[in-house]
Amino acid sequence: MKHILEELEKRRGQARMGGGERRIASQHAKGKLTARERLDLLLDEGSFEEFDMFVEHRATDFGMADQKVPGDGVVTGWGHINGRLVFVFSKDFTVFGGSLSNAHARKIIKVQEQALKVGAPIIGLFDAGGARIQEGVDGLAGYADIFLQNTLASGVIPQISVIMGPCAGGDVYSPAITDFIFMVKDTSYMYVTGPDVVKTVTHEEVTHEELGGYRVHAMKSGVADGAFENDLEALTQIRRLVDFLPLSNREGAPVRESYDPSERLEASLDTLIPANPNKPYDMKELILKVVDEADFFEISAEFAKNIICGFGRIDGATVGIVANQPQVLAGVLDIDSSRKAARFVRFCDAFEIPLVTFVDVPGFMPGTKQEQGGLIRHGAKLLFAYAEATVPKVTLITRKAYGGAYDVMSSKHLRGDVNYAWPTAEIAVMGSKGAVEIIFRNESDEAIAEREADYKARFANPFVAASRGYIDDVIMPHSTRRRISRALKNLRGKQLANPWKKHDNIPL
Ligand code: HXC
């Protein structure tokens, strides 16, 4: 009996060594942890249970029959994050570069299917060279099966991808379907085709970093939702994110005990809005003063910074916050900010996370670049996302809410449940100056200045909208947290369903 138990330990030991000491040392030399070290940091101590540790590939071409490593380049299983169940897979770059064989794919699909059945998030850690080149079409089949599972699970369980090394070819599209992608700075990159292929096809010479590093995806393309300094920071932050999320769409957002009184008043908010309407201020200050203990997990912080999206808690319950940022491009809505916020709003709605929207928006970004880039369709995404969302929606206009952007930003007209404004709000078709220059374009400069003052007095305030019932109340800035908290509490019983449909046709 003893030798049988020893045999099991020996086999486990072999599997845990992955591609061997030399490759593990090379992984460490690149500043990266191994697949199993990463899971140790991601999951609660002692909670990880591994599946399929002894799975091997079945390829025979190119001498593969003699090159088998138990586990075949991916570590899969389940574990806990702060006591809550999650399913995981972690690509092992030390085994055939983490490349995907059919057996490797089957391991991932097994945890995907279980996560969906049980109703728990799945987190994938990527560090891989794409399809196992020696396997051919079986690898492609494996990828497609994974993509299918990702798609079926979308909106049912949260899916999170962390890119911690190369992520090339077939490996990029599974993360792309998941809810959030995070990268590790300088050690990770993502692209469909690498620098060599790019050179052959387009004659461009680019580095991995220029083609798909975090500066590309977390700052320009918006493919990634954030980037962290190193493996440790990335995994610690993913634990923090998971704490905000429900396990599945069956559960509703998690609530945890809060020691931050919901009645807390913030006198400093009374002076947040500068006297000059063209002067920016930091919308993050408002967010941090409203959420519990100033704890805010921002999504896509470095991309489309003119809009802020992220998770916070009010009275211990998770809320999704969307806010225009007057500090960047005056908080205007453009293609990127509309795409970013629309995706976030849809995530919150899919997982029953109430939405809190802070509005200070001068309108949509004018210009040929925006129009040629499809601002109409991209802007419509955000409009559509807010309109279809049935979760509790609380909106506060702090300053500007001009034109179509007023409608878009969770207005009453898109079924906003409770819409507040600060006394500093200006709810109008456009800014006073632009408005009078159009209506009175032939008048003298002095006359126009007079008209502007008149227009401002009449329309640049929240009271016209409030008199129509488009704003439910004009509130004191210092009582914002108290009012939002009360609104969210009173909205807990909200029931609203959209008409039956197979699915909608959001302007993609
Ligand atoms: C098999 C692979 C591999 C792969 C890497 N390795 N990629 N083995 N299939 N796709 C192996 C290497 O042979 C090497 O083995 C080990 O992993 C480490 O690789 P290195 O090249 O030494 O590492 P590094 O210099 O860090 O470069 C990493 C890399 C590079 C940039 C990812 O390995 C690379 O370009 N790989 C190929 C990428 C690719 O073209 N993949 C196919 C994409 S097509 P040893 O034994 O020396 O340790 C695809 C189609 C799917 O994915 C489409 C579905 C929709």
Side-chain angles (χ1 to χ4, degrees):
M1 181 65 187
K2 189 162 172 273
H3 74 278
I4 300 180
L5 302 185
E6 281 168 2
E7 174 66 16
L8 172 61
E9 266 318 307
K10 192 175 127 216
R11 282 175 178 261
R12 281 180 173 171
Q14 266 171 357
R16 288 193 188 110
M17 282 310 288
E21 271 169 28
R22 182 178 58 81
R23 293 192 184 88
I24 292 176
S26 149
Q27 179 84 351
H28 287 158
K30 289 177 194 157
K32 301 193 291 182
L33 298 173
T34 65
R36 285 189 175 78
E37 287 166 346
R38 286 169 175 161
L39 290 177
D40 281 347
L41 288 172
L42 176 67
L43 300 170
D44 295 349
E45 202 180 337
S47 72
F48 179 55
E49 197 171 306
E50 185 169 342
F51 304 151
D52 290 336
M53 189 181 218
F54 307 113
V55 161
E56 293 175 344
H57 70 75
R58 283 181 232 134
T60 51
D61 292 331
F62 305 103
M64 287 301 277
D66 307 324
Q67 298 182 53
K68 297 202 177 193
V69 180
D72 203 40
V74 63
V75 183
T76 60
W78 58 16
H80 287 146
I81 291 184
N82 288 323
R84 298 163 79 227
L85 179 66
V86 292
F87 287 77
V88 288
F89 61 91
S90 178
K91 303 242 176 184
D92 186 348
F93 190 75
T94 69
V95 179
F96 308 116
S99 60
L100 184 129
S101 67
N102 197 266
H104 172 130
R106 302 254 65 88
K107 286 183 63 173
I108 295 176
I109 293 159
K110 190 189 269 185
V111 277
Q112 286 183 306
E113 285 176 344
Q114 291 220 16
L116 189 56
K117 262 189 285 186
V118 171
I122 184 159
I123 302 168
L125 310 182
F126 290 78
D127 187 357
R132 178 93 40 94
I133 293 167
Q134 296 89 334
E135 271 207 22
V137 73
D138 277 342
L140 302 186
Y143 273 125
D145 292 340
I146 292 171
F147 304 155
L148 176 66
Q149 288 304 320
N150 283 133
T151 308
L152 297 178
S154 180
V156 183
I157 51 171
Q159 302 182 83
I160 300 171
S161 307
V162 195
I163 316 301
M164 312 187 82
C167 184
D171 267 308
V172 300
Y173 281 112
S174 169
I177 306 171
T178 63
D179 298 302
F180 300 108
I181 300 179
F182 295 96
M183 297 180 77
V184 178
K185 291 182 185 174
D186 303 324
T187 48
S188 76
Y189 44 88
M190 286 182 91
Y191 41 65
V192 178
T193 49
D196 294 343
V197 179
V198 170
K199 192 172 171 197
T200 312
V201 178
T202 69
H203 309 295
E204 271 177 291
E205 289 207 26
V206 281
T207 63
H208 296 289
E209 185 63 34
E210 288 163 349
L211 194 58
Y214 82 94
R215 287 185 191 82
V216 174
H217 293 309
M219 297 164 114
K220 288 188 190 145
S221 73
V223 165
D225 298 287
F228 301 110
E229 294 300 326
N230 50 44
D231 284 13
L232 174 62
E233 192 197 9
L235 297 164
T236 313
Q237 289 298 323
I238 298 304
R239 286 177 62 85
R240 202 177 138 227
L241 171 62
V242 168
D243 279 352
F244 283 100
L245 306 181
L247 295 184
S248 77
N249 66 346
R250 302 172 212 156
E251 295 230 330
V255 183
R256 70 179 200 192
E257 218 173 325
S258 166
Y259 301 98
D260 194 353
S262 55
E263 299 288 311
R264 173 166 54 78
L265 300 179
E266 278 292 343
S268 62
L269 291 179
D270 289 342
T271 51
L272 181 67
I273 305 294
N276 177 352
N278 296 321
K279 220 176 141 198
Y281 61 95
D282 188 3
M283 187 62 102
K284 265 187 208 155
E285 193 179 328
L286 170 59
I287 297 172
L288 295 178
K289 284 180 173 161
V290 166
V291 298
D292 291 356
E293 288 130 19
D295 187 13
F296 180 59
F297 190 98
E298 192 170 351
I299 298 294
S300 296
E302 297 297 321
F303 171 70
K305 290 159 120 179
N306 39 333
I307 205 152
I308 305 167
C309 299
F311 300 104
R313 291 185 191 86
I314 294 181
D315 278 326
T318 302
V319 290
I321 292 178
V322 180
N324 308 113
Q325 172 57 292
Q327 264 187 349
V328 180
L329 299 170
V332 76
L333 284 181
D334 56 4
I335 293 172
D336 287 348
S337 59
S338 302
R339 284 199 296 129
K340 168 176 158 180
R343 204 168 147 66
F344 182 75
V345 167
R346 296 193 100 213
F347 176 85
C348 291
D349 190 47
F351 290 100
E352 294 298 337
I353 298 173
L355 285 162
V356 174
T357 305
F358 296 129
V359 184
D360 187 346
V361 64
F364 278 101
M365 180 81 135
T368 48
K369 204 166 155 213
Q370 288 287 315
E371 294 293 351
Q372 287 170 9
L375 176 64
I376 296 172
R377 180 161 294 174
H378 295 294
K381 290 183 166 114
L382 184 54
L383 174 58
F384 194 109
Y386 268 124
E388 71 172 346
T390 56
V391 286
K393 293 188 277 194
V394 178
T395 309
L396 167 72
I397 301 173
T398 59
R399 189 168 62 175
K400 295 170 195 167
Y402 291 165
Y406 153 74
D407 279 343
V408 170
M409 293 302 297
S410 199
S411 64
K412 198 72 177 166
H413 324 290
L414 300 185
R415 303 188 294 183
D417 294 297
V418 177
N419 292 64
Y420 292 130
W422 281 357
T424 43
E426 300 172 22
I427 305 167
V429 176
M430 60 202 310
S432 315
K433 190 162 187 296
V436 294
E437 277 171 1
I438 293 173
I439 316 176
F440 307 107
R441 72 173 70 196
N442 296 325
E443 296 193 1
S444 68
D445 286 353
E446 299 85 73
I448 284 197
E450 211 171 291
R451 301 274 196 194
E452 191 186 332
D454 181 42
Y455 189 94
K456 211 169 183 169
R458 273 211 259 171
F459 298 112
N461 61 60
F463 298 105
V464 180
S467 74
R468 307 268 197 285
Y470 302 156
I471 292 296
D472 298 297
D473 199 5
V474 182
I475 65 169
M476 289 292 188
H478 62 251
S479 66
T480 302
R481 174 174 160 89
R482 180 160 60 101
R483 300 297 294 263
I484 292 178
S485 154
R486 194 187 297 162
L488 288 168
K489 246 182 252 160
N490 292 344
L491 288 167
R492 274 186 194 159
K494 177 179 177 184
Q495 288 190 342
L496 178 65
N498 292 331
W500 186 91
K501 54 186 86 171
K502 185 171 174 192
H503 58 71
D504 59 39
N505 188 15
I506 187 165
L508 287 174

